[in-house]
Amino acid sequence: QVQLVESGGGLVQAGGSLRLSCAASGYTLSSYAMSWFRQAPGKEREFVVGISGSGAVKSYADSVKGRFTISRDNAKNMVYLQMNSLKPEAPAVYYCAVGGNRIGRNQREYDHWGQGTQVTVSS
């Protein structure tokens, strides 16, 4: 049974940093691309960043490029999202997701999701 568990969310001031973690179990992480999405209240879930199975390829949404960094440790079945220079935006729940062997930007391309972790950036 595939399971994803996110952690690391919280309240941070604008300009600050947070590191999100996603622990995966039930499958071999290195075989699949992993991505982070986020969803603010009343909005659609949006792609943030994805990483290939090997970690060699990364794809970032324009809104986070240069501020967020995705990484993975396949030996530990973990994916991380380092978020720096956070901007004061509406609170959002960040989700990690696993799909196929490519980094898709559409949530429909992903089969398994974690429960999410809340990120709130205050001004």
Side-chain angles (χ1 to χ4, degrees):
Q1 180 181 355
V2 176
Q3 188 173 18
L4 301 172
V5 179
E6 302 95 335
S7 60
L11 173 65
V12 63
Q13 286 191 328
S17 298
L18 278 176
R19 188 192 194 208
L20 306 184
S21 299
C22 175
S25 61
Y27 68 100
T28 303
L29 190 66
S30 60
S31 299
Y32 301 96
M34 298 285 294
S35 292
W36 288 93
F37 285 74
R38 65 186 177 189
Q39 187 169 21
K43 294 191 175 182
E44 290 209 356
R45 193 169 296 188
E46 64 172 354
F47 173 83
V48 177
V49 59
I51 187 169
S52 63
S54 67
V57 179
K58 301 174 185 179
S59 179
Y60 293 88
D62 288 343
S63 59
V64 305
K65 208 171 287 185
R67 300 186 297 118
F68 289 12
T69 303
I70 190 171
S71 61
R72 65 192 298 162
D73 184 338
N74 287 338
K76 296 182 178 179
N77 258 17
M78 296 289 295
V79 177
Y80 306 98
L81 179 60
Q82 178 66 42
M83 306 187 294
N84 299 328
S85 302
L86 284 162
K87 298 180 178 179
E89 298 170 319
V93 178
Y94 282 70
Y95 299 90
C96 67
V98 59
N101 56 12
R102 60 177 291 272
I103 302 170
R105 295 194 172 215
N106 190 317
Q107 60 176 313
R108 295 181 182 84
E109 299 179 62
Y110 292 83
D111 301 317
H112 301 285
W113 297 82
Q115 84 289 347
T117 186
Q118 176 93 22
V119 172
T120 303
V121 183
S122 64
S123 57

